[in-house]
Amino acid sequence: MFGLHYKLERKSIGLALAIIGIGSIGGLVEIAPLFTIDQTVEDAPGMRVYTPLELAGRNIYVREGCYACHSQMIRTLRDEVERYGPYSLAVESKYDHPMLWGSKRTGPDLARIGGKYSDQWHVAHFVNPREIVPPSVMPSYARLLRNPLRTDDLGRHLRAMRAVGVPYTDDMIANATADAIGQATPGGEAADGVSKRYGEATNVRVFDGLPGELTEMDALVAYLQIVGRLTDAAYKTAGK
Amino acid sequence: MAVEERDGHSGYLTTGHEWNGIKELNTPVPRLVYLTLAVTALFAVGYWILMPAFPLGSTFTKGLLGADDRTAVTAAVKQAQTDRARWTDLIAAKSYDDIQGDPRLMAQVRATGAVLFGDNCAACHQRDARGGNGFPNLTTQSWLWGGTPEAIAETIRVGVNAAHPNTRVSQMPAFGRDGVLKRDEMENVVAYVMSLSAPPAGKVSADRIAAGKAVFTANCAACHGPEGRGNLELGAPNLTDSHWIYGSDATALYAGVWGGLQNQMPSWEGRLSALDRKILVLYILDRRGP
Amino acid sequence: MVAQLTKSERQVALVILLALTIVGLIFAGAGKDDPIGVHGFLIMACAIAAIFAVISASAEPEPSPERLDTYYDDPSKIGIVLAMAWAAVGMLVGFWVALLLAFPDLTFDAGWASFGRLRPVHTSGVIFGFGGNALIATSFYVMQRTSRARLPDQLSPLFVLFGYNLFCLLAATGYLMGITQSKEYAEPEWYADIWLVIVWVTYLVLYLRTLARRQEPHIYVANWYYLAFVLVVAMLHIVNNLAVPVGLGSAKSYSLFSGVQDAMTQWWYGHNAVAFFLTAGFLGMMYYYLPKRAGRPLFSYRMSIISFWGITFLYMWAGSHHLHYTALPQWVQTLGMTFSVMLLVPSWSAAANALLTLNGAWHKVRDDATLRFMMVAAVFYGLTTFEGSFLAIRPVNALSHYTDWTVGHVHAGALGWVAMITFGAIYASVPWLWKRDAMYSARLVEVHFWFAVTGTIIYVISMWNSGIIQGLMWRTYTPEGTLAYSFVDSLIEMHPYYIARAIGGLFFLIGTLVGCYNIWMTVRGEALPAATEPAGDIPAPAIAARQPAE
Ligand code: HEM
Ligand code: HEM
Ligand SMILES: [Ca+2]
Ligand SMILES: [Ca+2]
Ligand SMILES: [Cu+2]
């Protein structure tokens, strides 16, 4: 073996190829089958996609780096299931490009945050976390309430998401901007379009408490309220 | 190629090469390295045989133990429920009164309830359940929806202005924003409301309070009752006690009258089990002060 | 610096910079409503500044052919200066971020100043800015000397170095503006990712070209590691960053993979970024500087082979230990755990090889803080890899994952291993590179050493404590069989440890600043007369010209 190596270490290209060869095996064995083994991602008929407003909110979550403190992955451990709810399924992040499972819980897990608190609570908490939860170390995101949400390019976002495999229809792409506004404007005509395209159960509300204004806070709260609720597969699996 | 030489200090031969003054010894690999490699590899192979390990096209090796995290955690949670049954069954079966009369069960309620409350309710009602910032204090005798165990249980189950189909619904109209009352009328009624719980401060004239009382009777009594003692059916608070959700100063009260109030309490039916909710009711009642 | 370029290299440089200016212009135009527009201007500004530098030097004569008799060390010198600058910035931000977790209001009401945006500035700043520049600088230094060959040209090393720093700059400024993919250690967006591919391929080609010119029949083990670092990082980076951009005028992209496949790819990347960036690259550094400084032969050539191939093969399987008990299928977790356990053997072999090399030179370790930096680094390397293999065991990870224990492990590796070996290598290189007798002050190296060691110990111990407490509080049950603590209970317990960690970090930061000062003063000092320059520090052809062949 050492004799063989004595030869190999004299050839830079040979050495390079050996490194690539030896180094590729692990990744190939572990990643490729995740696309071929059906069991990897559970079936979830009826799972819906993010609405444009929720997607915009998710992008704010990404932009602000919330993953630095929050996981979105409840592990198959008794204490996590008892504290946070049913363990996370792979299918629940099927439309998550990228996934936001996280690696650090400075704050609590958020995989089941959707519907846990009211919109007002989220807004108040983002504006000043320590007023609502005194020991909190979370930063204030008051500025989200001041920033108008950019909606004109949401169609292009949906199209890019479709390019990576999320089943957005032409209708959804064409109406992305209108739907984003509609979801935060209950009662309006645009709101009906949201329910039509994304389902009756879609939350259509003034998420940020400021009717008539579409802020980044609307988007972020709309997103948080749907985290873990695109499908109820996890609850069904847990019930079994 | 240079000639091999022997290192004086260690006594080993060098490989005969030199790079910018660096030489290498041709020391044999210590036994220990191979040994530990063998041990760890053996451990790995054993683990692979027993546990799910390698992909096989569209499936994978399941392992002799047939272990699976998901079934394991489901079983662990079930087992834990069974283990707790010795006291949870009692809590589930007994009446509120009986449990409250049983110090041992109440000790368990306190231990369990504190964490349930901490992880689910404290975000709004605070860790000490005293509320604030628009969230009610749960340790007083003053209730929006009733202080009987059954009423509290129902509030927790369905929530207030929540997504539950049977949710409790409450709303205080926006008298100012909707143009129902004028500015001075609202200021008067605020003065009147303040006088209900505390003797009016020096500046406030009796006329003003009387005027406010008229406004109150016409606009507010429907919900808060003729004397302002509140209405448990509507979740309208008692305005004659010293407990305030949104603050007790004139500005806070005026803001409520002007813009209306409609806060939300989530429904916990889909999230917490009936047992957990019952423990929470008992926990809250236990924390209740005078 | 430009004076070192030949006329044709200056022309090529201008073409590249012009192309870069145009790219910047396109981003600035297409992205005027988007943060990418700011980056367009930034790229343009950098390129135009460089164009001015090249043009203003165009009057300078071509470098003399005699340069070929010496090693080309300008890029290493610049790289070391940049590494120290990034170290100062990255660790300062690390200290700030540490303070934020203890005193969250110690910040401004501005997006860029919030924890979630600053944290990646810290991680990328120290790993890529500090670590990456140190690796590039030392790899140029080491590969020339161990090959006895000068770098093949003058332009591509500068392109690699400055191109890489442009990437780091785009990364750090991007995070502040909210440009991120939220993929840990791969946060930069698509255009920065593409740029890094170009830079990195150039780096690889440069490495192979230098090796091809070598005058030594055998490739030294340091170069195996540097080569593995360059190759594998290229592979990881390309696969993990596959994404579809929203448009040319948008910084935003959506990663090609989603959910579980994305998670596995991300941690295959993330873990091996640790393995090949923070480990292999720095092992390359250690294998050159430690025996060199100790003046001892490397303990065992054979053990180098075992550790090198062990590390290269086994590490690549271990990424799934970041995903234990998650929605990733269990069979992958099994592989991640078992390979991590086996990985301990080559890791410790590498550490032992370094420490045993010091046999016969321990008196130098006692007297020379530079060598002591390297020795302590090897010890921390052993400690961190032991801890890593332990943390990778599923039941242990059940406790440690998501907690500060991971952060403690990270910094045992990052401060104790990565930073210390780098400081050792830099203190060794600076006098050699700038032709100085020694560092400006040996006392200050000593001071730096003790600040660094104290800081690391305080940091790591406080995070072990907080992490284990956190992990235990989350899973402690009352005798009644219900959870004993709420999440916020555990948060409150963290406060004193977060303060302690900030103090440890401050120690480490002070040490780094002392180092910056010492290096600065050394560079400003007087060069040795040419006659007393270190012997043998010239490429082979030059030696051949001076001495008749053997
Ligand atoms: C002055 C010294 C340093 C201080 C005060 C410091 C502080 C911090 C803090 C506060 C965090 C965030 C931890 C959390 O989210 O809970 C962090 C993360 C991190 N730091 Fe440092 N750091 C320092 C030096 C370094 C160095 C030199 C490196 C690498 C060479 C490094 C690499 C990292 C990495 C990789 C993470 C992410 C850890 C994870 O996600 O688990 N740090 N650091
Ligand atoms: C045998 C070698 C090693 C093994 C098996 C190993 C294993 C691990 C494990 C199990 C984790 C925790 C994953 C989690 O629970 O999220 C981890 C995290 C980490 N390790 Fe190591 N480790 C090793 C060596 C090192 C070294 C030498 C460094 C150098 C700095 C390092 C840097 C890191 C970093 C930065 C993380 C944090 C990743 C994150 O952001 O979550 N590791 N490692
Ligand atoms: Ca992390
Ligand atoms: Ca990236
Ligand atoms: Cu790892």
Side-chain angles (χ1 to χ4, degrees):
Chain A
M1 177 178 92
F2 296 114
L4 205 72
H5 201 272
Y6 205 72
K7 297 207 184 89
L8 181 64
E9 70 189 39
R10 297 171 68 127
K11 310 226 171 4
S12 50
I13 299 293
L15 189 62
L17 290 177
I19 292 170
I20 294 179
I22 298 285
S24 306
I25 303 171
L28 283 175
V29 175
E30 291 185 354
I31 299 175
L34 296 180
F35 293 93
T36 60
I37 301 178
D38 286 342
Q39 245 174 296
T40 304
V41 181
E42 306 79 4
D43 288 329
M47 177 167 175
R48 81 156 165 86
V49 294
Y50 292 111
T51 64
L53 187 67
E54 290 154 7
L55 183 67
R58 192 168 193 280
N59 290 341
I60 294 169
Y61 188 98
V62 166
R63 182 186 82 191
E64 298 304 331
C66 310
Y67 75 103
C69 291
H70 292 286
S71 56
Q72 291 190 16
M73 172 51 59
I74 300 168
R75 296 182 292 167
T76 47
L77 295 169
R78 175 183 159 203
D79 58 306
E80 302 217 350
V81 171
E82 291 190 340
R83 188 184 307 277
Y84 296 112
Y87 55 81
S88 300
L89 299 182
V91 68
E92 292 182 273
S93 44
K94 174 164 82 159
Y95 297 140
D96 286 9
H97 295 263
M99 58 85 207
L100 293 170
W101 294 6
S103 68
K104 182 74 189 22
R105 272 186 197 150
T106 302
D109 186 275
L110 297 181
R112 304 267 168 254
I113 195 71
K116 186 178 179 194
Y117 302 137
S118 61
D119 299 344
Q120 293 102 304
W121 184 86
H122 283 296
V123 174
H125 182 247
F126 282 131
V127 168
N128 186 351
R130 269 161 297 291
E131 184 168 323
I132 305 295
V133 183
S136 181
V137 297
M138 177 157 144
S140 153
Y141 292 97
R143 66 205 144 78
L144 300 184
L145 210 49
R146 302 190 293 263
N147 296 352
L149 180 72
R150 179 170 177 190
T151 54
D152 61 306
D153 62 347
L154 282 172
R156 286 193 292 142
H157 282 260
L158 261 54
R159 200 170 300 124
M161 281 283 270
R162 183 158 76 179
V164 294
V166 182
Y168 282 110
T169 62
D170 290 335
D171 189 30
M172 289 169 170
I173 293 176
N175 289 290
T177 301
D179 284 349
I181 299 166
Q183 195 180 352
T185 317
E189 218 172 288
D192 297 341
V194 178
S195 316
K196 194 178 90 214
R197 275 181 284 278
Y198 296 92
E200 285 304 324
T202 311
N203 297 323
V204 176
R205 300 198 289 256
V206 178
F207 294 95
D208 64 355
L210 302 174
E213 279 177 63
L214 188 63
T215 64
E216 293 187 338
M217 189 68 89
D218 272 312
L220 184 59
V221 174
Y223 167 62
L224 286 176
Q225 295 290 26
I226 200 69
V227 171
R229 306 181 87 194
L230 292 177
T231 165
D232 56 3
Y235 290 87
K236 289 208 181 112
T237 316
K240 260 191 263 160
Chain B
M1 184 192 292
V3 197
E4 294 182 357
E5 55 182 295
R6 198 169 287 279
D7 171 47
H9 183 83
S10 63
Y12 286 115
L13 285 176
T14 71
T15 54
H17 306 295
E18 181 177 336
W19 295 270
N20 194 223
I22 301 176
K23 294 178 188 165
E24 293 173 319
L25 301 180
N26 210 0
T27 317
V29 179
R31 271 273 161 70
L32 188 65
V33 173
Y34 291 123
L35 196 73
T36 43
L37 206 54
V39 170
T40 51
L42 224 60
F43 164 76
V45 172
Y47 204 88
W48 296 337
I49 293 173
L50 296 177
M51 292 289 185
F54 278 96
L56 302 167
S58 62
T59 178
F60 54 88
T61 60
K62 302 284 190 310
L64 292 182
L65 293 186
D68 171 56
D69 283 344
R70 294 182 172 188
T71 31
V73 71
T74 309
V77 170
K78 275 235 173 66
Q79 181 60 46
Q81 274 164 0
T82 322
D83 292 346
R84 286 192 298 256
R86 64 193 148 79
W87 59 274
T88 54
D89 281 356
L90 295 178
I91 292 199
K94 285 192 173 187
S95 73
Y96 288 102
D97 275 348
D98 285 354
I99 301 170
Q100 282 167 324
D102 181 338
R104 279 195 25 226
L105 282 182
M106 280 314 286
Q108 274 148 347
V109 162
R110 277 176 212 122
T112 312
V115 175
L116 274 177
F117 196 86
D119 277 335
N120 295 290
C121 321
C124 295
H125 297 285
Q126 298 299 322
R127 284 152 56 77
D128 58 7
R130 290 178 188 280
N133 299 310
F135 299 107
N137 183 337
L138 303 178
T139 66
T140 72
Q141 298 287 2
S142 167
W143 295 94
L144 293 161
W145 300 97
T148 62
E150 291 75 16
I152 294 175
E154 182 67 1
T155 312
I156 296 173
R157 185 176 79 87
V158 300
V160 182
N161 299 322
H164 196 280
N166 305 332
T167 179
R168 298 191 188 279
V169 178
S170 91
Q171 179 172 24
M172 150 106 175
F175 292 95
R177 187 188 309 116
D178 295 347
V180 179
L181 295 178
K182 290 201 234 6
R183 186 182 176 88
D184 60 329
E185 288 173 316
M186 287 186 282
E187 280 166 359
N188 292 344
V189 80
V190 165
Y192 170 70
V193 168
M194 289 175 82
S195 75
L196 292 175
S197 53
K203 283 177 289 181
V204 185
S205 68
D207 285 355
R208 191 149 185 202
I209 289 175
K213 180 168 187 175
V215 178
F216 190 88
T217 313
N219 296 283
C220 319
C223 294
H224 291 281
E227 274 132 36
R229 292 191 184 282
N231 183 339
L232 298 181
E233 294 295 302
L234 301 172
N238 182 343
L239 304 177
T240 64
D241 59 23
S242 54
H243 300 296
W244 299 94
I245 303 172
Y246 297 91
S248 58
D249 57 302
T251 333
L253 297 185
Y254 184 85
V257 177
W258 186 87
L261 296 166
Q262 184 174 31
N263 214 338
Q264 247 182 11
M265 150 91 177
S267 141
W268 295 90
E269 185 162 38
R271 208 172 267 275
L272 298 177
S273 67
L275 174 74
D276 285 348
R277 283 183 272 123
K278 189 165 183 185
I279 292 174
L280 278 168
V281 171
L282 289 157
Y283 177 76
I284 291 172
L285 288 170
D286 185 55
R287 306 233 27 178
R288 186 166 51 172
Chain C
M1 174 198 345
V2 180
Q4 289 284 322
L5 302 185
T6 63
K7 281 266 154 26
S8 65
E9 283 176 332
R10 291 178 207 180
Q11 283 158 5
V12 178
L14 282 179
V15 173
I16 294 173
L17 290 170
L18 214 63
L20 203 57
T21 314
I22 294 169
V23 171
L25 194 67
I26 293 173
F27 285 153
K32 58 185 181 313
D33 310 325
D34 192 275
I36 199 177
V38 180
H39 269 168
F41 281 110
L42 184 70
I43 293 170
M44 255 200 310
C46 293
I48 291 174
I51 288 178
F52 270 108
V54 175
I55 291 180
S56 62
S58 64
E60 306 229 9
E62 281 210 275
S64 74
E66 272 157 35
R67 71 171 192 281
L68 299 177
D69 290 349
T70 57
Y71 293 126
Y72 181 41
D73 282 337
D74 281 8
S76 297
K77 291 183 183 175
I78 305 166
I80 285 180
V81 171
L82 287 169
M84 289 308 290
W86 278 108
V89 173
M91 292 181 202
L92 185 70
V93 178
F95 175 58
W96 185 2
V97 168
L99 276 184
L100 280 181
L101 288 183
F103 310 101
D105 288 319
L106 237 116
T107 189
F108 318 101
D109 179 22
W112 65 269
S114 76
F115 181 89
R117 293 200 192 176
L118 287 175
R119 189 187 194 267
V121 175
H122 163 62
T123 54
S124 290
V126 286
I127 297 178
F128 298 123
F130 168 55
N133 273 303
L135 286 171
I136 292 176
T138 58
S139 71
F140 289 166
Y141 184 97
V142 171
M143 74 171 144
Q144 295 187 91
R145 279 158 181 81
T146 54
S147 304
R148 277 204 294 150
R150 186 182 155 93
L151 291 171
D153 69 313
Q154 282 75 227
L155 181 60
S156 55
L158 289 181
F159 174 78
V160 170
L161 187 68
F162 288 120
Y164 180 75
N165 278 278
L166 177 62
F167 166 79
C168 294
L169 195 66
L170 290 176
T173 53
Y175 308 152
L176 296 177
M177 291 187 284
I179 302 178
T180 165
Q181 289 178 313
S182 276
K183 291 178 91 126
E184 244 181 304
Y185 315 119
E187 287 97 342
E189 268 291 357
W190 61 274
Y191 52 97
D193 287 339
I194 293 176
W195 174 244
L196 185 64
V197 172
I198 298 171
V199 170
W200 211 258
V201 169
T202 315
Y203 188 16
L204 175 61
V205 172
L206 177 63
Y207 216 108
L208 292 174
R209 280 164 73 206
T210 312
L211 285 181
R213 292 159 55 96
R214 75 184 183 284
Q215 298 297 316
E216 300 284 357
H218 290 262
I219 301 174
Y220 181 54
V221 45
N223 286 315
W224 311 348
Y225 280 107
Y226 277 122
L227 189 61
F229 147 66
V230 181
L231 275 169
V232 177
V233 167
M235 191 160 96
L236 299 169
H237 172 77
I238 292 171
V239 176
N240 189 42
N241 283 298
L242 293 172
V244 174
V246 168
L248 203 57
S250 171
K252 174 84 190 156
S253 68
Y254 290 96
S255 72
L256 185 59
F257 304 135
S258 72
V260 59
Q261 292 92 358
D262 189 43
M264 187 56 229
T265 311
Q266 156 61 28
W267 285 110
W268 168 75
Y269 166 92
H271 174 74
N272 291 298
V274 166
F276 288 86
F277 211 103
L278 295 180
T279 300
F282 291 91
L283 282 173
M285 201 186 267
M286 181 178 81
Y287 272 111
Y288 176 82
Y289 287 94
L290 187 132
K292 181 88 185 155
R293 187 82 183 184
R296 292 284 307 151
L298 186 68
F299 171 71
S300 170
Y301 159 70
R302 291 168 185 237
M303 218 147 100
S304 305
I305 296 177
I306 299 270
S307 8
F308 177 74
W309 292 104
I311 285 175
T312 307
F313 176 64
L314 299 175
Y315 248 116
M316 299 299 276
W317 293 75
S320 45
H321 64 216
H322 293 260
L323 298 166
H324 282 334
Y325 301 97
T326 66
L328 178 76
Q330 198 178 344
W331 62 265
V332 202
Q333 303 176 23
T334 299
L335 293 177
M337 166 177 145
T338 47
F339 276 87
S340 303
V341 170
M342 292 188 276
L343 183 55
L344 181 62
V345 181
S347 301
W348 269 31
S349 302
N353 209 1
L355 291 172
L356 291 171
T357 297
L358 293 172
N359 277 345
W362 286 103
H363 59 287
K364 293 193 189 167
V365 175
R366 187 192 59 209
D367 299 335
D368 176 10
T370 302
L371 187 57
R372 213 178 314 125
F373 261 120
M374 300 183 203
M375 185 278 288
V376 171
V379 171
F380 268 103
Y381 176 66
L383 191 101
T384 309
T385 49
F386 176 77
E387 183 184 30
S389 296
F390 184 61
L391 291 179
I393 298 171
R394 291 195 340 131
V396 181
N397 196 262
L399 177 84
S400 72
H401 188 58
Y402 293 138
T403 72
D404 286 331
W405 191 352
T406 307
V407 178
H409 162 70
V410 169
H411 288 84
L415 304 176
W417 158 238
V418 171
M420 297 237 200
I421 191 70
T422 305
F423 291 137
I426 289 181
Y427 283 135
S429 304
V430 164
W432 296 339
L433 278 172
W434 272 273
K435 316 280 184 238
R436 302 292 185 264
D437 192 22
M439 287 300 295
Y440 163 72
S441 161
R443 282 277 299 282
L444 286 182
V445 179
E446 194 74 33
V447 168
H448 180 183
F449 175 80
W450 287 111
F451 267 111
V453 170
T454 316
T456 306
I457 290 173
I458 299 178
Y459 192 124
V460 172
I461 290 186
S462 51
M463 288 298 98
W464 280 339
N465 267 300
S466 66
I468 292 170
I469 292 175
Q470 212 171 22
L472 288 175
M473 284 181 86
W474 292 347
R475 53 153 66 180
T476 300
Y477 280 88
T478 59
E480 283 77 36
T482 57
L483 290 167
Y485 301 100
S486 68
F487 183 87
V488 174
D489 291 337
S490 75
L491 182 64
I492 294 169
E493 289 300 312
M494 295 302 103
H495 188 63
Y497 300 104
Y498 284 167
I499 295 176
R501 183 251 304 269
I503 295 171
L506 182 62
F507 268 76
F508 203 88
L509 174 64
I510 292 173
T512 304
L513 298 177
V514 169
C516 290
Y517 171 76
N518 202 358
I519 291 168
W520 177 242
M521 294 307 286
T522 312
V523 171
R524 281 190 34 187
E526 236 167 82
L528 290 174
T532 51
E533 269 180 32
D537 212 19
I538 33 176
I543 296 173
R546 283 178 200 173
Q547 338 176 306
E550 286 179 304

